[in-house]
Structure formats: structure tokens, C-alpha cells
Amino acid sequence: MDQKQFDKIVDKQTPKTPIFANMLKAFLVGGIICTVGQLVTLFYIRFFSFTERTAANPTVATMVFIAMILTGTGLYKKISQFGGAGSAVPVTGFGNAVISASIEHKSEGYVLGVGGNMFKLAGSVIVFGVLSAFIVALIKTILVKLGVVSW
């Protein structure tokens, strides 16, 4: 049997992936998460006198916290199984990653298990996020000093 015959057999036996249905589910789940995020932003603006700009940080923190609660209760897993990448792309995926790593190592104890593994995956995200923010701020500062952009 040559490679072409083998590939044909594999193609016949491999179930077809419902790409359009998966994209639609991801779009819906991601859209719902973003809609909830917008509602949280509007809540902070309405009840705590934040501006659109200043409401961003508490909104992100709230969405990460909600994702962590949903992960701890097992609901985020069901959402992500249905929505796929739609649940991983927004900031809620970050909260899920932090808590998931902690839950996996709970049997090792709260300090070494939960605490030690909490930032296993998220730690690199935090480091690269801070590094990226520093580089962008440095570039912007240089461009402002050169008069290319205004502050």
C-alpha cells in the first residue's frame, strides 16, 4: 500500500469536522461573553460614576473573577466544550487557565498544589503582557519625544 492509498483510507475513516457549526458556536459564545462584559462596563459607568475609559480595568477584573467562579463550579468547562475557542479568546479564558491549573493540583495541598501551580500557565501570560506593555509604552514615549505623535 502506498501513501496515496493510505491517505484515502484515512480520509474515509476520519469523521468530518462540522467547521461551520463550530465557528457559529464559537461566535455565539464569544459574543455572549463580550456582551456580558459590556453590561458590566455599563454597570460600572452607571452606578459608580466611572467613565468609559476608567471602567475598563474593573470590568476586566470582574470578567476574570466571573470566569474563575464558573471554572470552580464546573460550568466554564461546559461552556468551553460547547463554544470552543469562543470561550478561550476573551479575557475569561485567562481566569479559566489560572483556576484550572490550581484545581488539577489541589490534592497536593493548598500551598504547594494550588498556590504553586496557580500561575503555571498564567504566569507566562502575565510576564509577556507586562513586557509587551513596557515595550509599547517605550515606543510611544520615544514617538512623543520626537514629535511624531501627541500625548
Side-chain angles (χ1 to χ4, degrees):
M1 178 183 304
D2 66 349
Q3 186 65 37
K4 288 183 183 181
Q5 290 174 327
F6 178 76
D7 289 341
K8 285 181 183 180
I9 293 171
V10 169
D11 287 340
K12 276 185 183 178
Q13 298 298 318
T14 305
K16 300 298 178 212
T17 304
I19 295 172
F20 183 75
N22 289 347
M23 288 184 343
L24 182 62
K25 289 177 187 177
F27 177 78
L28 289 173
V29 169
I32 289 169
I33 291 171
C34 292
T35 302
V36 170
Q38 186 62 41
L39 292 173
V40 170
T41 298
L42 294 174
F43 172 79
Y44 282 121
I45 291 170
R46 173 86 166 100
F47 293 105
F48 294 101
S49 300
F50 282 95
T51 64
E52 259 188 68
R53 189 174 197 169
T54 59
N57 289 337
T59 298
V60 169
T62 303
M63 293 303 292
V64 169
F65 180 74
I66 290 170
M68 289 175 165
I69 296 297
L70 291 175
T71 300
T73 60
L75 293 174
Y76 202 88
K77 183 176 182 177
K78 292 177 184 177
I79 293 168
S80 63
Q81 285 174 342
F82 175 79
S87 66
V89 174
V91 72
T92 53
F94 175 75
N96 178 50
V98 170
I99 295 302
S100 294
S102 298
I103 291 172
E104 285 181 31
H105 298 281
K106 186 179 174 186
S107 62
E108 297 171 22
Y110 287 110
V111 174
L112 295 177
V114 175
N117 291 290
M118 183 176 287
F119 294 108
K120 184 183 269 185
L121 175 65
S124 59
V125 173
I126 293 169
V127 168
F128 286 115
V130 169
L131 181 65
S132 299
F134 175 76
I135 291 170
V136 168
L138 186 64
I139 292 169
K140 183 175 180 181
T141 302
I142 292 169
L143 293 176
V144 168
K145 294 287 184 191
L146 293 175
V148 177
V149 294
S150 61
W151 190 254

